[in-house]
Amino acid sequence: MASLRGAIPLSAPTVPVFGTAVFIALLAVLARLLGIDIPWVSDHVVETLLIAFAVLSAGVLFRGL
């Protein structure tokens, strides 16, 4: 069995952080799949998804965020 020494402690993201990440990701999906013209998002779909992932990752890595 793997040892947990030195492991990064993870926590569940708070509801506002999770909601923000989902909202940002939905903007990217709407812009890409439905062709909705959203300023900046429509031209930078991959970057928008990366921002959503970064927000969610920060919520998991930093406790209480």
Side-chain angles (χ1 to χ4, degrees):
M1 188 156 159
S3 173
L4 294 178
R5 276 184 284 150
I8 298 173
L10 303 177
S11 63
T14 60
V15 173
V17 169
F18 181 76
T20 301
V22 168
F23 177 74
I24 295 170
L26 281 176
L27 288 177
V29 169
L30 290 173
R32 176 68 175 108
L33 297 181
L34 299 180
I36 298 174
D37 188 30
I38 303 171
W40 195 84
V41 175
S42 297
D43 296 330
H44 302 93
V45 174
V46 173
E47 291 87 347
T48 304
L49 284 173
L50 286 174
I51 291 169
F53 183 74
V55 168
L56 188 59
S57 296
V60 170
L61 292 172
F62 303 113
R63 187 175 309 272
L65 186 63

